[in-house]
């Protein structure tokens, strides 16, 4: 995500004479330039196709020069800097933390969070990369561990768990680091963060799988086995997203990327990917313990009642 955003040329108007600034503004009116924020312009073609979180990161980059210590980029804005996955829209303002403040407030471009009281964290993690602030375009950004806990405290589980799972899956953080950071916050938000951290799993292979686990929890579904492998000697092996052995049900999360993303296709056509997935599902269904295979799409995951209906139909209690 960073590479493309960092490569976009930024046109900063502050250093231009007034005549040049007026000429740039005329280009904005003609649609030849577009404003990222007041005083920072880009060419529309350079931002075409950016995902919402990439556009937010571009806003953070364009504004980094105005964020000075002790204020740090934090929360979801820091999550964008760290390259964590977003479920739902990114914030409409840059999120920062000011340790001199106790309460949060908003300005035209920023949402300023007060700094929580934090107890001394375990000395084992001190000065390690996951627990150290990082520099982004000259501005301080909260550490990966602190960012994950900030988001877990402030945002719904459906947004925080995919970030935590991604960090655990990529071995960027340890669960103990997150628990230690959350414990140092005091009572405020600790229970909410504890749920997200307790659910964190390095086995989740995508944000969709993380959201699916949130839905399972909301619906009171029995805990499934993640990344279960179906195999026979001398035959293929199929690893499924979720396996409910007590009910004989496999649940797979289907994202469009599996059939459209060139990286995931690996040179195959979409038709080839569909055919191979059908062959794979036939193999899984050939095991006598498997009674049903449930496929959940992103549209299903965004509507818990659709998930409930599909699971109940397959015999999984909700």
């Amino acid at each position: 995500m960073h590479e493309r955003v960092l490569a976009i040329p930024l046109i900063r108007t502050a250093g231009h004479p007034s005549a040049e600034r007026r000429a740039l503004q005329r280009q904005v009116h003609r649609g030849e330039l577009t404003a990222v924020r007041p005083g920072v312009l880009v060419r529309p073609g350079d931002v075409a196709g950016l995902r919402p979180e990439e556009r937010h990161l571009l806003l953070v980059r364009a504004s980094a020069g105005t964020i000075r210590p002790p204020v740090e980029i934090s929360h979801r804005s820091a999550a964008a800097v760290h390259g964590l996955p977003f479920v739902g829209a990114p914030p409409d303002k840059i999120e920062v933390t000011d340790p001199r403040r106790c309460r949060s407030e908003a300005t035209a471009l920023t949402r300023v969070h007060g700094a929580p009281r934090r107890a001394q964290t375990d000395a084992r993690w001190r000065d390690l990369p996951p627990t150290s602030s990082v520099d982004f375009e000259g501005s301080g950004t909260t550490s990966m561990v602190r960012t994950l806990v900030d988001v877990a405290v402030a945002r719904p589980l459906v947004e925080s768990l995919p970030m935590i799972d991604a960090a655990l899956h990529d071995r960027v953080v340890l669960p103990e680091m997150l628990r230690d950071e959350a414990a140092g916050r005091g009572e405020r938000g600790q229970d909410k963060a504890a749920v997200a951290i307790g659910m964190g799993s390095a086995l989740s292979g995508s944000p969709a799988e993380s959201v699916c686990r949130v839905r399972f929890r909301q619906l009171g579904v029995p805990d499934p086995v993640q990344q279960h492998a179906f195999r026979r000697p001398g035959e293929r092996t199929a690893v499924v997203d979720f396996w409910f052995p007590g009910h004989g049900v496999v649940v797979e999360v289907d994202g469009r990327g599996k059939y459209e993303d060139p990286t995931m296709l690996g040179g195959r056509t979409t038709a080839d990917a569909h055919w191979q997935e059908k062959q794979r599902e036939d193999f899984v269904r050939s095991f006598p313990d498997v009674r049903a295979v449930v496929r959940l799409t992103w549209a299903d995951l965004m509507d818990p009642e659709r998930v409930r209906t599909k699971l109940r139909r397959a015999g999984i209690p909700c």
Side-chain angles (χ1 to χ4, degrees):
M1 178 168 67
H2 290 71
E3 289 75 11
R4 183 181 175 190
V5 172
L6 291 177
I8 295 173
L10 299 180
I11 303 169
R12 299 185 185 272
T13 63
H16 292 266
S18 57
E20 291 183 14
R21 288 201 300 270
R22 289 194 296 271
L24 290 171
Q25 194 59 43
R26 287 194 292 271
Q27 287 184 271
V28 172
H29 290 316
R30 292 196 299 266
E32 297 169 4
L33 294 174
T34 186
V36 178
R37 56 161 287 151
V40 183
L41 311 175
V42 295
R43 300 195 179 281
D46 290 336
V47 297
L50 287 183
R51 298 191 301 272
E53 59 268 31
E54 291 174 322
R55 288 182 176 272
H56 182 73
L57 183 62
L58 183 62
L59 173 62
V60 176
R61 180 189 165 204
S63 306
T66 67
I67 301 170
R68 297 182 175 87
V71 180
E72 287 187 311
I73 300 165
S74 66
H75 294 74
R76 287 175 293 168
S77 295
V81 171
H82 288 295
L84 293 167
F86 277 70
V87 172
D92 57 348
K93 300 176 186 287
I94 301 167
E95 294 191 288
V96 300
T97 293
D98 187 339
R100 299 166 297 187
R101 297 178 181 272
C102 297
R103 297 182 179 181
S104 299
E105 65 175 32
T107 67
L109 287 174
T110 61
R111 182 167 288 105
V112 185
H113 296 271
R117 292 183 178 178
R118 302 168 68 227
Q120 186 68 37
T121 57
D122 196 314
R124 289 178 297 169
W125 321 130
R126 192 175 302 151
D127 299 327
L128 293 178
T131 60
S132 300
S133 298
V134 299
D135 176 87
F136 180 69
E137 297 288 292
S139 293
T141 303
T142 54
S143 70
M144 174 71 82
V145 167
R146 183 172 174 186
T147 298
L148 290 168
V149 175
D150 280 343
V151 173
V153 168
R155 303 301 302 171
L157 184 61
V158 74
E159 295 182 28
S160 62
L161 186 62
M163 294 185 182
I164 291 174
D165 282 355
L168 294 174
H169 180 270
D170 294 341
R171 301 181 183 277
V172 176
V173 302
L174 297 173
E176 294 87 346
M177 293 177 174
L178 299 175
R179 288 195 289 268
D180 189 45
E181 173 68 23
R185 297 298 183 94
E187 294 183 1
R188 185 178 179 184
Q190 192 179 94
D191 290 345
K192 186 178 179 182
V195 170
I197 294 167
M199 286 185 65
S201 171
L203 294 176
S204 286
S206 70
E209 290 179 34
S210 302
V211 174
C212 193
R213 293 174 55 234
V214 174
R215 298 308 183 212
F216 289 161
R217 182 179 188 275
Q218 292 172 335
L219 297 173
V221 173
D223 289 335
V225 178
Q226 284 186 265
Q227 306 301 321
H228 178 74
F230 288 93
R231 56 169 60 93
R232 289 195 187 97
E235 295 190 58
R236 74 178 78 183
T237 297
V239 179
V240 299
D241 295 334
F242 302 103
W243 166 234
F244 292 85
H247 304 86
V249 177
V250 167
V251 174
E252 294 274 64
V253 180
D254 261 348
R256 293 179 62 179
K258 185 187 295 185
Y259 307 108
E260 297 179 1
D261 187 332
T263 303
M264 298 183 70
L265 285 172
R268 300 173 299 164
T269 66
T270 297
D272 288 339
H274 276 289
W275 173 251
Q276 290 175 10
E277 187 62 23
K278 181 183 183 304
Q279 296 294 101
R280 177 177 171 279
E281 182 172 322
D282 288 344
F283 174 73
V284 170
R285 289 181 181 274
S286 71
F287 286 77
D289 291 344
V290 178
R291 293 192 310 100
V293 176
V294 176
R295 291 193 172 275
L296 298 174
T297 65
W298 262 112
D300 295 328
L301 295 176
M302 294 300 103
D303 183 351
E305 288 308 309
R306 289 172 63 167
V307 177
R308 184 197 302 272
T309 298
K310 286 192 172 185
L311 294 180
R312 278 184 168 172
R313 193 176 295 152
I316 297 177
C318 299

